[in-house]
């Protein structure tokens, strides 16, 4: 038989959507916007608001003036954006803040986070700037699984004032290890010692 239903939906005014972005047992979220458009046939949509669309999931908040829903699991943040993620793991709370000038793409199924152009990522102890950041978020609120940063990578460790500079960073949060490559050198500046 033919399935009938709404193939296109547009809502304006004070729009609140529930049940968004739940992943692997994580708490589902809700979005607040001025406009919501959804094409059920294409499974694509759009959220817009002035000044910002807000997506809330637990204590995590995603804001941007325009959020494109490329599919039910893939969102693209456009314009001035800010992502604040709170992850709880083994009784410890970690906060991540991210922003970038280009598009920020988040895949809720795979946990892939892609950021482009003038990227800034902050954790409790680190501030990282890079031209591009690709990360994999852990399932069920387990923080970052991996991170790759490229293009004028600058890292500042807040607790001791160490600055790191390079062109490519591979970071593995599970064991707190990272590899920084430079062109021609990677640099670590502790304020007292400069390592090249």
């Amino acid at each position: 038989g033919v399935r009938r239903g709404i193939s296109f939906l547009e809502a304006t005014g004070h729009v609140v959507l529930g049940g968004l972005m739940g992943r692997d047992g994580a708490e589902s979220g809700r979005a607040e916007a001025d406009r919501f458009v959804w094409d059920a046939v294409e499974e694509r949509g759009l959220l817009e608001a002035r000044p910002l669309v807000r997506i809330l999931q637990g204590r995590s908040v995603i804001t941007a003036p325009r959020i494109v829903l490329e599919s039910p699991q893939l969102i693209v943040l456009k314009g001035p954006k800010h992502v604040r993620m709170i992850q709880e793991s083994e009784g410890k709370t970690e906060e991540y803040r991210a922003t970038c000038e280009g598009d920020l793409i988040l895949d809720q199924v795979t946990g892939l986070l892609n950021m482009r152009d003038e990227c800034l990522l902050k954790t409790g102890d680190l501030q990282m700037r890079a031209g591009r950041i690709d990360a994999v978020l852990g399932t069920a609120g387990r923080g970052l699984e991996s991170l790759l940063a490229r293009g004028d990578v600058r890292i500042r460790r807040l607790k001791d004032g160490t600055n790191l500079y390079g062109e490519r960073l591979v970071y593995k949060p599970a064991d707190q290890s990272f590899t920084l490559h430079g062109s021609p050198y990677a640099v670590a500046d502790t304020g007292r010692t400069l390592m090249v």
Side-chain angles (χ1 to χ4, degrees):
V2 176
R3 195 174 115 198
R4 296 179 190 257
I6 297 173
S7 61
F8 185 82
L9 173 68
E10 181 171 0
T12 58
H14 181 69
V15 179
V16 178
L17 300 172
L20 294 176
M21 300 173 53
R23 176 175 172 236
D24 294 333
E27 182 180 344
S28 67
R30 80 171 198 269
E32 300 169 355
D34 295 335
R35 180 174 179 244
F36 170 63
V37 176
W38 182 254
D39 183 329
V41 175
E42 296 288 325
E43 291 193 308
R44 296 174 48 102
L46 170 70
L47 292 160
E48 292 178 313
R50 285 188 183 193
L52 300 169
V53 174
R54 289 173 36 100
I55 296 179
L56 304 121
Q57 183 176 12
R59 293 171 37 205
S60 298
V61 180
I62 296 172
T63 60
R66 182 178 174 105
I67 298 177
V68 178
L69 308 166
E70 291 288 343
S71 69
Q73 71 271 355
L74 188 69
I75 66 171
V76 180
L77 280 61
K78 306 266 189 188
K81 67 204 63 65
H82 187 260
V83 175
R84 177 178 175 255
M85 290 185 285
I86 306 293
Q87 305 279 327
E88 302 209 16
S89 177
E90 300 170 5
K92 189 170 117 180
T93 301
E94 292 184 67
E95 180 176 341
Y96 300 92
R97 292 181 181 262
T99 188
C100 60
E101 293 295 320
D103 290 350
L104 186 149
I105 303 168
L106 181 59
D107 186 321
Q108 286 297 302
V109 172
T110 64
L112 291 174
L113 171 69
N114 304 112
M115 300 166 54
R116 303 289 177 270
D117 304 326
E118 297 297 321
C119 305
L120 174 61
L121 179 65
K122 294 181 181 181
T123 66
D125 185 42
L126 293 176
Q127 291 183 357
M128 178 187 307
R129 294 180 184 275
R132 177 177 177 166
I133 295 177
D134 298 311
V136 177
L137 304 175
T139 57
R142 287 198 306 252
L144 287 173
E145 287 185 6
S146 67
L147 183 137
L148 171 64
R150 290 173 275 187
D152 192 22
V153 178
R154 294 164 281 158
I155 302 165
R156 178 162 179 79
R157 197 163 68 188
L158 301 176
K159 71 179 174 185
D160 61 8
T162 298
N163 292 299
L164 304 167
Y165 308 95
E167 284 300 314
R168 184 172 182 270
L169 170 84
V170 177
Y171 177 57
K172 296 184 180 168
D175 59 6
Q176 299 287 306
S177 69
F178 69 88
T179 306
L180 181 64
H181 301 274
S183 178
Y185 305 107
V187 176
D189 179 357
T190 65
R192 296 178 300 277
T193 307
L194 183 65
M195 294 175 276
V196 177

